[in-house]
Amino acid sequence: MKRIAIQGEIGSFHDITAHHYFQGEQLQIICCSTFEEVFEHMKQDPTVLGIMAIENTIAGSLLHNYELLRESGMSVVGEHKTHISHCLCCLPGQTADDITEVHSHPVALAQCCKYLSKHPNLKMVEDEDTAGSAKWIAENNLKGVAALCHADAARLYGLEVLENHVEDNPHNYTRFLVMTDPRKADFLRALNESDKSSIVFSLPHEEGSLSQVLSILSFYKINLTKIQSLPIIGREWEYLFYVDVTYDDLTRYRQSIDAITPLTKDLIILGEYKSA
């Protein structure tokens, strides 16, 4: 049995992702209120894996999660892209006219703003989790209150789906990372099958320093799929660069890392894994 720490409740998109990624395996889900708590569970018990959202096709990158990953020292061993679809649900027997409040995670509320704008009488309330909102309504038998969550979460907590697929954009996907203690990484991945890597580094504050790194990656035919910069606290106008690359030759990729290392500062390989 695999033990997986997630942010959110059973039925959340993190939970759905865990079961998709480890399809057919027996899982014990450890529900956490925050992403910080996810990493605490992993630090306290090296056998615990973590699953964490890192970017969304609409909302963009979860910048704080990049920093949590780097500071934790954990390794990325996989990724999964989950389609995000929301429904409006409430206690059975109610209609849309009975609803006065809608609870959900702020990102979910933002992703359904066009639908919600058609119902100006609804008060939007931000909660920690999509599935957590559904659970709270069910446990407290709250009439007149609805949740935005996945339809599976609504059914899990015995709620009735008033309307499904209420998200503004159907092309809504979140990329999740599967993480583990570095000492356990080789048990969870086949390195010779890896074709993607996540790295982070800083650069000297010199003209052309970033273009040099990118040119070397291009020379080794390494495909840059994402670059995200974050300011380094306490070091004005200096940045950390979080970079995702894909490759079809592990040896050539390793050679490219060796080539850019002298040009960078504090380069860390966050993980080498099979792309989703």
Side-chain angles (χ1 to χ4, degrees), residues 2-257:
K2 287 185 171 65
R3 302 176 66 218
I4 316 288
I6 65 167
Q7 187 277 322
E9 296 286 344
I10 300 298
S12 67
F13 288 102
H14 280 85
D15 176 44
I16 290 169
T17 300
H19 284 88
H20 283 175
Y21 186 85
F22 295 106
Q23 190 171 10
E25 298 190 50
Q26 191 174 6
L27 305 181
Q28 178 188 349
I29 301 298
I30 303 171
C31 298
C32 305
S33 298
T34 64
F35 289 112
E36 286 85 352
E37 191 179 338
V38 170
F39 285 105
E40 280 302 314
H41 277 283
M42 297 175 69
K43 289 176 184 177
Q44 291 171 10
D45 186 348
T47 66
V48 172
L49 308 178
I51 287 184
M52 178 179 72
I54 198 68
E55 65 175 319
N56 176 264
T57 52
I58 296 173
S61 298
L62 283 73
L63 301 182
H64 182 55
N65 288 1
Y66 278 100
E67 286 292 86
L68 290 176
L69 174 59
R70 181 182 63 85
E71 294 171 354
S72 72
M74 298 298 167
S75 290
V76 180
V77 292
E79 68 172 4
H80 189 81
K81 296 173 183 176
T82 299
H83 182 237
I84 306 299
S85 179
H86 301 293
C87 77
L88 184 74
C89 60
C90 61
L91 290 174
Q94 297 187 94
T95 67
D97 294 333
D98 299 320
I99 305 303
T100 59
E101 288 186 8
V102 179
H103 290 240
S104 195
H105 189 279
V107 172
L109 292 169
Q111 291 173 347
C112 302
C113 60
K114 289 182 182 178
Y115 172 82
L116 294 172
S117 68
K118 298 176 184 177
H119 305 276
N121 59 309
L122 296 180
K123 177 183 177 182
M124 291 181 283
V125 181
E126 296 183 354
D127 282 344
E128 291 182 347
D129 181 45
T130 54
S133 298
K135 180 181 180 181
W136 179 70
I137 291 170
E139 289 182 343
N140 292 279
N141 198 36
L142 296 174
K143 295 183 178 180
V145 182
L148 285 175
C149 62
H150 194 277
D152 287 350
R155 289 187 280 268
L156 177 67
Y157 294 110
L159 300 186
E160 187 172 296
V161 175
L162 292 177
E163 192 166 350
N164 205 356
H165 306 297
V166 298
E167 63 275 5
D168 297 340
N169 192 324
H171 303 289
N172 185 4
Y173 290 83
T174 294
R175 184 166 73 101
F176 294 82
L177 300 179
V178 182
M179 309 167 298
T180 187
D181 184 290
R183 294 168 292 182
K184 302 290 183 181
D186 290 341
F187 296 100
L188 293 163
R189 66 181 178 191
L191 193 57
N192 61 343
E193 295 179 1
S194 72
D195 60 3
K196 188 170 186 178
S197 174
S198 297
I199 62 177
V200 58
F201 54 82
S202 60
L203 290 168
H205 197 51
E206 298 171 0
E207 182 178 345
S209 57
L210 179 58
S211 64
Q212 282 184 296
V213 170
L214 300 183
S215 295
I216 291 173
L217 292 176
S218 176
F219 173 80
Y220 282 95
K221 302 187 185 301
I222 305 302
N223 183 35
L224 184 74
T225 60
K226 182 178 177 65
I227 183 168
Q228 178 75 55
S229 63
L230 287 177
I232 301 174
I233 305 301
R235 289 160 58 180
E236 292 80 5
W237 317 121
E238 291 191 46
Y239 298 86
L240 286 169
F241 294 91
Y242 290 86
V243 175
D244 288 344
V245 298
T246 58
Y247 47 87
D248 55 18
D249 186 300
L250 181 62
T251 300
R252 193 170 65 235
Y253 152 73
R254 289 285 175 83
Q255 290 171 339
S256 74
I257 295 298

